[in-house]
Structures are given as C-alpha cells and as structure tokens.
Amino acid sequence: MGNWVETAWDALLALQDYAEASASGTAGGDFRSWCSRPPNEAYPFSAGKVKMKESDTVGNRGAWRKERTFPVPLAVDRSGEVYMEAHIRIGGGNTVSPRLHFYDDGPGTGRVYVGYVGPHLTNTKT
C-alpha cells in the first residue's frame, strides 16, 4: 500500500506541473506525451502508467461510463460533470489495481481535475 501512496503522490506532482504548462499553452500535447519527455524542471512520471482513453467497450457501456463520470465546476461543463477516461495506473497485478482518473481543462480553466482515486472501476476483466 505504501508504494501506491507514493505513486499516487508522484502522479499528482507531475499532474500539477503539467497543468501549469497546459494552462500556459506550453505542454506540447497531452499528459502521456508530457511524461514521455518532461521538461528538465518538471516532476517526472512514467508515461507507461498513463492511459488517455478508455476502451470503446467501457465508453459505450452506460453503467461503466457513469462510474467514470465525476463532478467538475460549471465553468468546465454546463452539466457539472465530465467523463474522465484519462487515468493513471497506481497499482497493478491484483484485484484492486488502484487508478487515478483525471480531466485536463488546462486550455479552459487552467486546471487538471482529479475525479477519482481508488480501486479499479468495472471493466471486462472485473
């Protein structure tokens, strides 16, 4: 569990640096791309742990998509929630396999929103 906490913290530090670059228009791509070649001053994080999209199966199955839809400020979306398919693998190789789901609104509000940190949500393997 200690390793999961450390990995989640490292992910949050890297997301913070990325959010600042995204807000200023200097990120040069999405978070996974950023992790592949972070600027020298940025907090590093493994791009291999970052997934920017869910599978079509997850995205097209209403209940599973709903599990990944989280509240955001109305300035981000008028409905007050967004589907956060981008996620980070905090752990792997067991039934819990924690994930951190996030939404990049750097170009809009200048922030990255974390909607969920916890056990892997429902998919074809659960």
Side-chain angles (χ1 to χ4, degrees), residues 15 21 37-38 45 50-51 58 64 86 90 96 105 114-115 118 123 126:
L15 278 168
R37 37 183 206 294
F45 191 76
V50 180
K51 295 284 192 181
V58 169
W64 293 358
I90 301 301
V96 177
D105 194 47
V114 174
N123 67 15
T126 56

Side-chain angles (χ1 to χ4, degrees), residues 54 58 63-70 82-85 101 120-123:
E54 287 284 7
V58 169
W64 293 358
R65 184 181 179 96
K66 182 83 174 134
E67 283 184 5
R68 292 156 176 83
T69 301
F70 302 103
V82 295
Y83 173 50
M84 295 188 188
E85 62 183 319
H101 285 259
H120 197 298
L121 299 170
T122 310
N123 67 15

Side-chain angles (χ1 to χ4, degrees), residues 20-29 34 39:
E20 291 172 8
S22 181
S24 70
T26 62
W34 168 269

Side-chain angles (χ1 to χ4, degrees), residues 1-100:
M1 177 116 136
N3 187 39
W4 293 348
V5 172
E6 290 173 25
T7 302
W9 183 248
D10 289 345
L12 292 169
L13 291 172
L15 278 168
Q16 175 63 37
D17 284 349
Y18 168 76
E20 291 172 8
S22 181
S24 70
T26 62
D30 63 20
F31 182 60
R32 188 172 182 356
S33 298
W34 168 269
C35 291
S36 293
R37 37 183 206 294
N40 290 335
E41 68 279 0
Y43 198 88
F45 191 76
S46 171
K49 292 185 171 289
V50 180
K51 295 284 192 181
M52 295 307 297
K53 296 191 122 325
E54 287 284 7
S55 69
D56 289 341
T57 303
V58 169
N60 293 329
R61 187 170 268 173
W64 293 358
R65 184 181 179 96
K66 182 83 174 134
E67 283 184 5
R68 292 156 176 83
T69 301
F70 302 103
V72 292
L74 295 175
V76 176
D77 190 280
R78 293 178 66 188
S79 71
E81 59 185 24
V82 295
Y83 173 50
M84 295 188 188
E85 62 183 319
H87 61 279
I88 297 167
R89 290 185 300 117
I90 301 301
N94 62 37
T95 56
V96 177
S97 303
R99 299 294 188 258
L100 182 155

